[in-house]
Amino acid sequence: LNMRAIDLTFTISEDVDWIGYSLDNQDNVTIQGNTTISIPDGYHFIVVYARDTTGLIGASEKVYFVVDTTPPHVDFTFSPEEPQASLIFGSYKWELTFNASASYDLLTNITSYEWDFGDGSKGYGRVVTHIYREQGTYEVTLKATDFAGNTATITKNITLPPPPSEPISQATLMFIIVTVTIGAVWIVALVITYKKRTANLKRLKKS
């Protein structure tokens, strides 16, 4: 069993000739000086007893506590399970949602979730969304910490497929737009010039 040492601190209001305690309704144990109690993981309670010089025994209230030295169980899912690239403003991006709802702790609550997305970025929270900007395989690591400070991690590989085609840069896109626009203007100008010359020729023939 995992064991954790705790200090038992109490005060006595009068002279006594015996002090002891009972852990989880077990037999009384005499306390002699500073005492360290080794307690396994779980939910517990303790009662301290004292006997004064007249033979009367007093008892403290039950003190309930939890000992937790066990790391939490961690797991996560991601969606979509087959991520696809989306073309946004001339570049491809992969957007994924990571969910750590499958993680739990048997004794205390998980108090923090820390994500390492494998591309130099980090995230925090049970459910997070992250955007990747390059295709490839990334090691995604989740670290969970419970109320007692125990931690556990899990790592999964996430593979992002290549985009359907090479993205068009914004500069290239602007060049194409400008080129097409200029070409269209020249075509219109040539058509107008051609029509004017045709009209002039017709006038000359009539004269």
Side-chain angles (χ1 to χ4, degrees):
L1 292 176
N2 290 325
M3 307 293 285
R4 171 165 291 176
I6 65 170
D7 290 330
L8 174 63
T9 303
F10 57 89
T11 58
I12 303 295
S13 61
E14 59 181 284
D15 292 337
V16 296
D17 58 14
W18 176 83
I19 302 172
Y21 70 88
S22 173
L23 176 68
D24 300 332
N25 278 335
Q26 298 175 14
D27 292 340
N28 290 341
V29 177
T30 299
I31 298 175
Q32 296 178 342
N34 293 331
T35 300
T36 298
I37 308 172
S38 295
I39 303 175
D41 279 12
Y43 298 92
H44 304 278
F45 67 88
I46 191 169
V47 179
V48 175
Y49 298 93
R51 184 180 62 208
D52 65 17
T53 55
T54 66
L56 296 176
I57 296 178
S60 69
E61 296 181 353
K62 287 183 178 180
V63 177
Y64 294 88
F65 58 95
V66 179
V67 175
D68 183 8
T69 62
T70 303
H73 171 81
V74 291
D75 196 7
F76 68 87
T77 60
F78 61 92
S79 60
E81 293 183 356
E82 297 181 359
Q84 300 297 324
S86 298
L87 183 61
I88 302 175
F89 297 112
S91 61
Y92 283 104
K93 297 179 182 179
W94 293 257
E95 182 174 340
L96 284 83
T97 297
F98 297 90
N99 191 327
S101 297
S103 301
Y104 61 88
D105 191 87
L106 292 175
L107 293 172
T108 57
N109 296 325
I110 294 178
T111 56
S112 69
Y113 301 86
E114 180 179 342
W115 301 86
D116 184 336
F117 298 114
D119 62 350
S121 301
K122 293 185 179 296
Y124 302 90
R126 186 166 57 89
V127 181
V128 295
T129 298
H130 182 64
I131 295 177
Y132 290 94
R133 303 185 183 279
E134 294 183 4
Q135 69 90 200
T137 298
Y138 297 88
E139 288 188 350
V140 179
T141 299
L142 167 64
K143 177 183 177 181
T145 304
D146 67 15
F147 183 78
N150 304 302
T151 63
T153 61
I154 186 173
T155 299
K156 295 184 179 182
N157 289 332
I158 308 298
T159 299
L160 306 179
S165 60
E166 288 297 324
I168 300 175
S169 67
Q170 293 185 0
T172 303
L173 187 61
M174 289 300 298
F175 175 79
I176 293 174
I177 293 173
V178 172
T179 302
V180 171
T181 303
I182 294 175
V185 171
W186 274 104
I187 291 172
V188 171
L190 289 173
V191 170
I192 294 174
T193 303
Y194 174 77
K195 287 183 177 180
K196 286 182 178 180
R197 290 181 178 178
T198 302
N200 291 334
L201 289 174
K202 287 182 179 180
R203 292 194 190 97
L204 290 173
K205 289 181 180 180
K206 289 180 179 181
S207 61

